[in-house]
Amino acid sequence: MAKEKTYTKHMSLKEILSYSIGLFGFQAVIFYINSYAAEFYSRTMGANIAIVGVILLVAKVVSAVFDPVVGNMIEKQTGGKHGKLKPFIFWSIPFLIVLTILCFVKLPVSGVPMYIIIFVLFTLWSMAMTLGDVPSQGIAAVLTPDITERTNVLSIANTFKSIGQAAPYVVVPVIAWIIPGGLDGFNPGYMSSAEYLVSAIFIAVVGCAMLSMICFFNKERVPYQAEKMTFKEMFGALKGNKPLVLVLVSYFLGFARQGAMAIQVQASTVIFGTPSKIIILGITTAAGTMISMAMTPLLIKKFDEKKVFIGMSVYGFVISFVSYFATVASNYNMIVMLATLFLLGLQFGAVNIMPMIMVADSVDYYEWKTGRRTEGVAYAVLSFAIKVTLAMGTALALILVGAFGYESIADASSIEPAIKNGVFFTYTAVPGITSLLAAIPIFFYDLVGGKKKQITAELAERRNQTGAACAEAESQA
């Protein structure tokens, strides 16, 4: 008896790699900003790191009003040969390149004018990021109509995405090593403004070139109709999509998980005495994340998204405190620290992939329930959640490291134990607390198992009937 085929393959290897590399490049740009901008303004221009953290939060919240605008613009598209989502990705690229570079230009100002300029730059950059982020995530729901293939593609793509998040921690130290000294006359051991700027130019140009591959090599396969929705209707679509609401609430409750990567520069400084060794932290955690990414589809197949998300969230809470106490108790023994940080990284693959899968499934759910397919709305609110929670996590982390005395460090080679432990607590234990909170809403998420299979089967039947009806109409015309 022939073995039953588990899913219908729609995407070629070239398409999968193009989407994955595109996300890799996009995340490299985002996380260069998120990880290095606060340190850049603090060490080269004397800005207060806690104030910068608050500015990042306010700028992201202010720019978040652009998310539903982009989502609504996407919903109004009729498609055409370029698709519904790809044009928005393409339009975002020049803005991302220019604004990323401008964020790392040393300003000849200080005090209040400096903070105002930082706020304006980050607000504009966040809007450009949204223009690319909403469609690059939303396109995951239309690349293939097969849910199993979608899960596998998202697993591969999110593996690349996580590597992209860690890419600046490799690229920046290399660029800093290549460019001759010039530490702006103070703060021994820290990067110069020229090193930050060259890194920004390289990452922005190369990262956005990678992002553009999605526009050229990917195809939008799931059929859709243009939806002219008012903002009131968009809110109604969100309100009527319980699975999507639960995912969003989970994102907000787990906001501090986003803060760990934002302070890797500071963590590297207090642990190793220099930010240039950030690559050690980045690669260690990324290695655990990549293994988790590879394991996630297998875990989902054996259990389901709900059980895997809850299990990994609880695991993240436990291992974060294990990492903190074991590392401090061992006086930052390198083997103990790296081993526990690797184990800490194992949670991120599952909790990063799961929301992407759940949101794509919630789009199917809403189409099954109402007949309307709303990738733009779903991924606009997801982008909003990601943007705001990232800003919240970054702001909290920067405020905490400032409160622990990080800014009082004049020479990175001599760090007081209290500062070191405080920054490391912020880096490990604080994200773990909200990791546990993030699991609470998912207990009520039921778009799994038989219900998910039923929705997929009924949608496939509806689309087949619609396609047959259209074909018959065209033949009679």
Side-chain angles (χ1 to χ4, degrees), residues 156-355:
I156 295 169
N158 277 277
T159 300
F160 276 75
K161 182 178 177 180
S162 292
I163 299 172
Q165 292 172 356
Y169 311 141
V170 178
V171 173
V172 175
V174 171
I175 290 176
W177 176 73
I178 294 173
I179 295 177
L183 297 174
D184 292 337
F186 62 96
N187 292 326
Y190 294 101
M191 289 172 57
S192 68
S193 57
E195 290 166 338
Y196 280 111
L197 181 59
V198 173
S199 297
I201 294 170
F202 180 84
I203 291 174
V205 172
V206 176
C208 286
M210 291 178 174
L211 177 61
S212 71
M213 293 178 66
I214 298 176
C215 305
F216 295 113
F217 300 112
N218 284 111
K219 182 179 179 181
E220 300 175 20
R221 290 181 173 84
V222 177
Y224 50 77
Q225 293 180 339
E227 298 278 0
K228 296 183 179 180
M229 302 179 72
T230 64
F231 286 106
K232 182 178 180 180
E233 289 174 324
M234 289 179 68
F235 179 77
L238 172 62
K239 185 179 178 182
N241 195 332
K242 178 184 173 182
L244 178 59
V245 172
L246 290 172
V247 174
L248 296 176
V249 173
S250 173
Y251 243 107
F252 277 98
L253 290 176
F255 78 96
R257 290 180 308 194
Q258 309 292 333
M261 293 190 76
I263 60 164
Q264 282 202 338
V265 174
Q266 291 78 22
S268 173
T269 300
V270 299
I271 293 169
F272 305 115
T274 173
S276 65
K277 292 185 179 179
I278 190 175
I279 186 173
I280 299 174
L281 297 178
I283 288 181
T284 302
T285 306
T289 302
M290 285 187 286
I291 293 174
S292 179
M293 292 281 191
M295 291 171 54
T296 296
L298 301 177
L299 292 172
I300 292 174
K301 188 174 181 181
K302 184 172 179 62
F303 304 102
D304 57 49
E305 292 88 349
K306 176 179 179 177
K307 293 186 180 70
V308 174
F309 186 94
I310 293 172
M312 295 308 292
S313 295
V314 174
Y315 167 81
F317 169 75
V318 174
I319 195 62
S320 66
F321 278 87
V322 169
S323 178
Y324 173 73
F325 286 111
T327 301
V328 172
S330 69
N331 196 26
Y332 291 85
N333 177 275
M334 185 68 72
I335 294 176
V336 173
M337 181 180 66
L338 295 185
T340 57
L341 288 179
F342 169 80
L343 294 175
L344 186 61
L346 289 175
Q347 68 168 310
F348 292 116
V351 298
N352 285 344
I353 290 178
M354 220 61 56

Side-chain angles (χ1 to χ4, degrees), residues 26 66-67 70-71 74 85 129-139 375-377 379-381 383-384:
F26 192 32
F66 192 51
D67 291 68
V70 173
I74 290 173
L85 298 129
M129 189 269 281
T130 293
L131 190 61
D133 190 43
V134 174
S136 66
Q137 294 196 78
I139 201 171
E375 289 93 351
V377 173
Y379 284 93
V381 294
S383 175
F384 170 84

